[in-house]
C-alpha cells in the first residue's frame, strides 16, 4: 500500500463520494469505507482533509443542481437578507 497522505485521502474521498448513493450516504459511512481501505489511524490523522473534500464535493453537487434548475426554468427566488429581515 502506498504511503497515506492528505492527497491520497482526498482522492479516495472524492472517488467514494462520486460512487455513492447520495440519498443514503453519510459522513460516517464515508469514514468507515476509508478506514477499511487506509486504516482507522490514518483516517483520524487526515480527518480534516476528508471533511474538506466531502464539503467541496457536496457544494459542487448543490451548485450542479442549481444549474439544472436554471436550464429547466424551475428556479425559485431565494429570500435575500433584506426580505428575510422584513418578515
Amino acid at each position: 500500500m502506498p504511503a497515506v497522505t492528505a492527497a491520497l485521502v482526498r482522492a479516495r474521498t472524492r472517488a467514494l463520494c462520486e460512487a455513492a448513493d447520495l440519498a443514503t450516504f453519510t459522513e460516517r459511512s464515508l469514514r468507515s469505507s476509508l478506514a477499511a481501505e487506509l486504516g482507522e489511524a490514518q483516517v483520524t490523522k487526515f480527518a480534516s482533509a476528508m471533511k474538506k473534500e466531502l464539503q467541496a464535493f457536496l457544494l459542487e453537487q448543490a451548485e450542479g443542481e442549481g444549474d439544472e434548475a436554471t436550464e429547466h426554468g424551475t428556479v425559485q427566488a431565494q429570500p435575500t437578507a433584506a426580505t428575510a429581515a422584513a418578515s
Side-chain angles (χ1 to χ4, degrees):
M1 175 182 351
V4 177
T5 63
L8 176 62
V9 171
R10 285 191 303 269
R12 290 304 304 139
T13 297
R14 175 63 59 150
L16 290 167
C17 288
E18 289 173 351
D21 173 4
L22 297 181
T24 60
F25 191 62
T26 65
E27 184 175 336
R28 180 175 284 177
S29 65
L30 170 63
R31 186 180 177 97
S32 294
S33 295
L34 283 174
E37 288 184 30
L38 307 174
E40 183 63 39
Q42 298 301 323
V43 173
T44 299
K45 181 178 179 180
F46 295 107
S48 65
M50 178 200 72
K51 288 180 182 182
K52 286 178 184 175
E53 191 63 33
L54 174 59
Q55 290 171 345
F57 175 80
L58 293 174
L59 182 60
E60 289 169 13
Q61 295 302 305
E63 289 173 349
E65 288 176 7
D67 292 343
E68 268 184 31
T70 301
E71 290 172 9
H72 293 93
T74 59
V75 174
Q76 297 180 359
Q78 298 296 318
T80 64
T83 58
S87 41

